[in-house]
Amino acid sequence: QKEVEQDPGPLSVPEGAIVSLNCTYSNSAFQYFMWYRQYSRKGPELLMYTYSSGNKEDGRFTAQVDKSSKYISLFIRDSQPSDSATYLCAMGGGDKIIFGKGTRLHILP
Amino acid sequence: NAGVMQNPRHLVRRRGQEARLRCSPMKGHSHVYWYRQLPEEGLKFMVYLQKENIIDESGMPKERFSAEFPKEGPSILRIQQVVRGDSAAYFCASSPPATGTTGELFFGEGSRLTVL
């Protein structure tokens, strides 16, 4: 079993829809949970960072962590064409940060 | 405040040559990570360094690959005797000392290596 599982997509949704992106993990040692956004031919940029189970909201973005189920989610409300990118979940603990494969998201105008 | 700087952005090498990729972390950052990204795959951890120390190199192939982060100057990822399978985007990320391995990484734009 891979440490981090993420559906690669692509995921296409109409503008204005709510987007749900998810990752599962197997390593209970992970303590930090992140979502990064990567535009084509660019480096990833940190979107959301959470430390504990529960929800964290930042504008149109909400990150959710369920440690008991080893499941994390990112919700994007009122999606915009500019949200079209690859979204990578990441988890850290100890000296290592492990990334999911990324989900390609297309917001259709 | 300049971000993480990587160079070269694009590098073409023939099989058997050496590739050197450089990374200057953000000002004040003392932790550097290197990741490799292949098409349709995520970021694969390679190595984590602090100034003059390799903290974790568990993701780096044992042969042909090496990394350093000297007291002065950029971090360097070196690939000797490159093969076609080394073609990928190599990303460097840095973090400040206070956060260490908490995941708040700042990435460069990447160096894209093509091996002919």
Side-chain angles (χ1 to χ4, degrees):
Chain A
Q1 183 184 10
K2 292 185 178 177
E3 281 193 289
V4 179
E5 299 270 10
Q6 183 176 12
D7 187 335
L11 178 64
S12 296
V13 299
E15 184 176 355
I18 296 175
V19 175
S20 172
L21 305 168
N22 312 292
C23 286
T24 58
Y25 63 97
S26 58
N27 190 344
S28 300
F30 288 140
Q31 300 171 328
Y32 317 101
F33 305 90
M34 291 75 65
W35 286 94
Y36 284 79
R37 178 175 61 195
Q38 185 177 21
Y39 290 113
S40 180
R41 315 292 288 178
K42 298 289 187 182
E45 56 178 329
L46 181 64
L47 260 185
M48 299 287 285
Y49 170 88
T50 54
Y51 179 77
S52 58
S53 283
N55 293 355
K56 181 177 181 179
E57 190 173 318
D58 184 0
R60 296 184 295 111
F61 298 90
T62 299
Q64 195 172 76
V65 175
D66 183 347
K67 284 188 175 180
S68 62
S69 301
K70 296 189 178 66
Y71 188 88
I72 70 170
S73 300
L74 177 71
F75 298 97
I76 308 174
R77 291 185 300 280
D78 188 24
S79 55
Q80 305 293 313
S82 59
D83 295 328
S84 297
T86 296
Y87 290 79
L88 303 110
C89 63
M91 299 162 197
D95 291 329
K96 199 176 297 184
I97 299 162
I98 305 297
F99 284 79
K101 287 192 173 184
T103 299
R104 283 178 293 143
L105 174 66
H106 300 289
I107 306 299
L108 307 170
Chain B
N1 186 16
V4 176
M5 303 300 290
Q6 288 189 249
N7 69 83
R9 293 291 311 278
H10 301 276
L11 183 63
V12 178
R13 285 288 178 266
R14 295 191 181 279
R15 281 179 297 169
Q17 291 184 320
E18 179 179 287
R20 283 194 181 215
L21 310 178
R22 295 173 188 77
C23 170
S24 295
M26 286 182 70
K27 188 176 181 180
H29 286 193
S30 58
H31 299 234
V32 166
Y33 300 75
W34 285 94
Y35 285 84
R36 177 164 64 179
Q37 188 174 44
L38 292 165
E40 308 302 322
E41 293 192 19
L43 290 163
K44 299 290 187 186
F45 169 78
M46 297 183 74
V47 62
Y48 164 41
L49 310 105
Q50 294 178 17
K51 287 279 187 181
E52 299 184 282
N53 278 313
I54 296 174
I55 306 302
D56 183 346
E57 57 181 347
S58 59
M60 202 145 70
K62 294 286 188 287
E63 297 179 355
R64 302 189 298 107
F65 286 73
S66 62
E68 63 176 6
F69 189 15
K71 187 176 179 181
E72 301 290 338
S75 175
I76 295 175
L77 179 67
R78 182 183 178 203
I79 311 172
Q80 295 177 289
Q81 299 173 337
V82 296
V83 301
R84 288 216 175 104
D86 297 331
S87 296
Y90 292 84
F91 286 95
C92 169
S94 72
S95 67
T99 55
T101 58
T102 59
E104 294 181 271
L105 302 180
F106 296 82
F107 281 86
E109 295 286 81
S111 291
R112 282 162 179 80
L113 172 66
T114 301
V115 180
L116 302 178

